[in-house]
Amino acid sequence: MLTPAARLAARRLLGLASSSASEAAARRLAPSPIAASSYAAAARGSVPSSRPFSTALNYHIDSPENKPDMKWEFTAANMKKVKEILSHYPSNYKQSGIIPLLDLAQQQHGGWVPVAAMDAIAKIVEVAPIRVYEVATFYTMFNRTKVGKYHLLVCGTTPCMIRGSREIEDTLLEHLGVKRNEVTGDGLFSVGEMECMGCCVNAPMIAVADYSKGSEGYTYNYYEDLTPKRVIEIVEMLRRGETPPRGTQHPERKNCGPAGGNSTLHGEPKPPPCRDLDAC
């Protein structure tokens, strides 16, 4: 026999369960606003530029420059790299090379991977195309729409945000006259966001993927300790075809060291007493 308090608690739990079930059913029946706008855009054959970045990764829409029936193949020079990449894996595990092959295709194709390139890779590694699609859509460093010859990626993780990464991004977007993930009219620049570049001590920072010289001259460099003024100077140097000094942009720092030089560790550190380093 339940006490009055237990009966009251049971009624409340049943009421909550009933309410939750009703809400879940309503959510299943009601279309998502994001999905509805995406489907409508797909029906029109266009995709709004203001769509959330995550939804841009989830589907493909044919366009004159990106459709499966287009011919795409690696250059002769890159086919040598393809063979070298596949030589690292057993012959019955060619699919292990999908990620480096997608990266090579992206470098060759000016910073993004069309669906025809994914199909070509699927043939090379002898898998169904969906096996390549699922890799290309999972990793955000594979771009499936056009980017600029200089793709500028702003670190948006907490340490960089605290140190002013939002101001750096706003400065870039305003200076270039674009929104995030848009390409400038001259095709030179695009601005995106990346999560944690692993150099928090030099926050805020950006990475620049340089596709201006194709896969042979591809570079990917970090520019750290940025200010709004300095990031504009870097953009203008790139526009002129110059190579900005990579790494920290702080005039008094060297790599990740403190401004003004070390205040400790001026000499050779003592070896740990519990290990014989010569025996290693």
Side-chain angles (χ1 to χ4, degrees), residues 44 63 68 77 150 234 247 275:
R44 293 193 302 270
S63 67
Y150 301 101
I234 289 172
R275 278 179 59 196

Side-chain angles (χ1 to χ4, degrees), residues 138-159:
F138 181 82
Y139 293 102
T140 57
M141 285 184 72
F142 293 127
N143 306 310
R144 298 196 297 110
T145 56
K146 275 190 173 181
V147 298
K149 292 182 178 179
Y150 301 101
H151 189 38
L152 315 177
L153 294 162
V154 183
C155 183
T157 311
T158 305

Side-chain angles (χ1 to χ4, degrees), residues 237-253:
M237 291 177 73
L238 293 170
R239 192 191 302 275
R240 294 191 297 268
E242 300 173 11
T243 303
R246 60 183 175 83
T248 179
Q249 305 298 302
H250 194 296
E252 297 181 16
R253 295 188 69 182

